[in-house]
Amino acid sequence: MSGSRQSQGGNEHRGISAQSHDLDSARDWMASICGPHGLEVQAPQRLQFQHSGNVLRSMATTLGYVEYGTDVTIVVRDEAPLNCYSVSLPLVGQQELSVQGQLLQSNQDKGLILSPLDSQALTIAGDCRKIIVAIPRPALRQVLEGLLQRPLDAPLVFQPEMDAVMGDQAGWWRMVKFLLGELERTGHLFGSPFMASDLEHLLLKGLLLSQPHNYSAELANILSPAYPHYLLRARQYIHDNAREDLCLEDIEREAGVTRFKLFEAFKRYFGLSPMAYLKKYRLEAVRRELLADQSERNISTIAMSWGFTHLGRFSSDYKKLFDEMPSQTLSRVARR
């Protein structure tokens, strides 16, 4: 086993890394991060295990990358549960989770969460290199109890599939990638004691607020704002008519309030103007179709069906929102 655990100056995180061709050493290293588990390898001689990352000291969350170099299966039994929530997203390759009678596929667009108390088996392809975030059970419990303002009466259990393409879940993954990139560069800013604890809490709160779990409904009731009735009417009108040639006057008329009041509500609750909200909704709709369409229609046809008439501007806005061109989205779907 070639491995190291080392502090990085006075920063509030420490860099860790390991590589091994030995099954037991690889399993023991990851067990020290995630908790007890079995590691099954059909071709042990091909094992090329590598892990690197950073441990955030405030609550011991570990962010990093892992790969095994050959097909492996991680087996977790409920009699020997994990001591953390293991959240992972392939950067290349695929993995497959068997849990509670379900078989869930994971790739660049779909992450997975292994909740500690479930019996489960995670099969990782040999070409898979993935991000892995290991969050200790007490850390997430502490943050969730702080949000709920009461002790938990049952263990926290997440829905195992996690979207990496759309919505708040994708936003959480972008935050993880950003933090990983900054920690790899120098780590001085995000490792400082004045920021590290807040960043770690932000990461955990973001997961609790974006990914469905058995406390989501209660959390939503506590944290969700009461939207004004005219804002709900305007939002629904946008959703129902997003393919049409809408203008601001149409939305204003449907809301039944002044333009100033409409703008104020959209900015306050959604952080966007009404027309910017419409554009974002349309872009997300186009992305959903590209991911599901299997290239049966071309990008221009789909974009124009959602009201985009200037295709150059559409591509620019798409890249700004999703960090890739529409053609790159289609290419990833085609490769799979």
Side-chain angles (χ1 to χ4, degrees):
M1 180 76 173
S2 172
S4 66
R5 293 175 181 270
Q6 54 190 17
S7 298
Q8 299 190 357
N11 287 354
E12 291 301 301
H13 70 89
R14 54 194 173 101
I16 59 173
S17 63
Q19 54 184 345
S20 176
H21 299 286
D22 178 68
L23 185 150
D24 291 337
S25 298
R27 183 196 59 229
D28 292 346
W29 179 272
M30 293 308 298
S32 70
I33 295 170
C34 300
H37 62 272
L39 180 61
E40 299 175 356
V41 186
Q42 289 187 347
Q45 71 278 8
R46 296 181 182 174
L47 187 70
Q48 298 181 52
F49 168 75
Q50 295 186 63
H51 175 263
S52 62
N54 285 274
V55 182
L56 305 180
R57 292 188 178 184
S58 176
M59 306 183 83
T61 298
T62 302
L63 290 81
Y65 306 94
V66 68
E67 55 188 305
Y68 288 87
T70 187
D71 294 355
V72 302
T73 299
I74 309 294
V75 180
V76 180
R77 305 295 184 195
D78 54 11
E79 62 268 18
L82 295 174
N83 55 27
C84 75
Y85 292 83
S86 178
V87 194
S88 62
L89 177 70
L91 297 173
V92 294
Q94 298 187 6
Q95 54 182 353
E96 182 179 81
L97 177 66
S98 175
V99 60
Q100 296 179 352
Q102 303 178 81
L103 200 58
L104 307 173
Q105 304 292 327
S106 169
N107 50 47
Q108 295 172 61
D109 295 334
K110 188 79 69 176
L112 292 172
I113 300 184
L114 275 62
S115 292
L117 300 178
D118 289 328
S119 288
Q120 52 209 311
L122 177 66
T123 299
I124 305 169
D127 65 344
C128 180
R129 182 174 188 264
K130 63 179 184 174
I131 294 171
I132 182 167
V133 182
I135 306 172
R137 294 164 60 188
L140 264 182
R141 185 181 67 243
Q142 176 185 330
V143 173
L144 180 55
E145 288 179 345
L147 292 171
L148 297 175
Q149 290 295 294
R150 70 170 184 84
L152 301 190
D153 48 24
L156 169 66
V157 180
F158 284 98
Q159 177 181 305
E161 287 185 297
M162 189 172 183
D163 198 345
V165 175
M166 306 288 291
D168 293 339
Q169 297 161 315
W172 188 83
W173 280 115
R174 288 193 294 272
M175 178 168 60
V176 168
K177 291 175 181 178
F178 173 76
L179 285 175
L180 279 168
E182 290 302 311
L183 290 170
E184 285 176 334
R185 288 182 180 91
T186 63
H188 294 310
L189 176 62
F190 294 109
S192 75
F194 298 103
M195 291 189 66
S197 178
D198 289 341
L199 285 169
E200 192 168 4
H201 276 80
L202 179 66
L203 196 67
L204 272 57
K205 285 180 180 178
L207 182 64
L208 289 166
L209 293 173
S210 64
Q211 178 67 10
H213 51 79
N214 54 327
Y215 289 94
S216 290
E218 182 180 352
L219 205 52
N221 288 335
I222 293 171
L223 301 175
S224 292
Y227 295 122
H229 61 88
Y230 61 86
L231 181 62
L232 292 175
R233 278 204 309 271
R235 182 178 67 175
Q236 192 60 51
Y237 180 76
I238 289 173
H239 292 182
D240 291 343
N241 298 277
R243 290 183 184 271
E244 307 302 323
D245 184 19
L246 292 184
C247 63
L248 182 58
E249 288 75 13
D250 297 325
I251 303 169
E252 186 180 342
R253 189 182 311 112
E254 180 66 21
V257 296
T258 65
R259 181 169 298 186
F260 175 80
K261 194 170 184 178
L262 184 65
F263 264 80
E264 185 181 49
F266 264 86
K267 284 287 190 179
R268 177 183 174 186
Y269 291 98
F270 303 138
L272 298 167
S273 69
M275 297 307 287
Y277 181 93
L278 169 62
K279 182 170 72 173
K280 183 172 182 287
Y281 183 82
R282 284 171 166 169
L283 287 167
E284 290 175 340
V286 171
R287 188 170 177 82
R288 279 193 296 270
E289 288 202 26
L290 291 178
L291 289 167
D293 198 67
Q294 303 300 320
S295 305
E296 290 178 5
R297 290 183 293 154
N298 63 38
I299 294 169
S300 300
T301 302
I302 295 173
M304 292 180 70
S305 76
W306 281 101
F308 293 102
T309 55
H310 192 296
L311 297 178
R313 192 175 301 131
F314 155 74
S315 295
S316 175
D317 290 337
Y318 187 99
K319 187 176 192 306
K320 189 180 298 182
L321 183 59
F322 300 115
D323 199 30
E324 66 178 8
M325 297 296 286
S327 57
Q328 292 175 295
T329 303
L330 271 185
S331 295
R332 288 193 296 105
V333 174
R335 283 199 302 271
R336 290 203 301 273

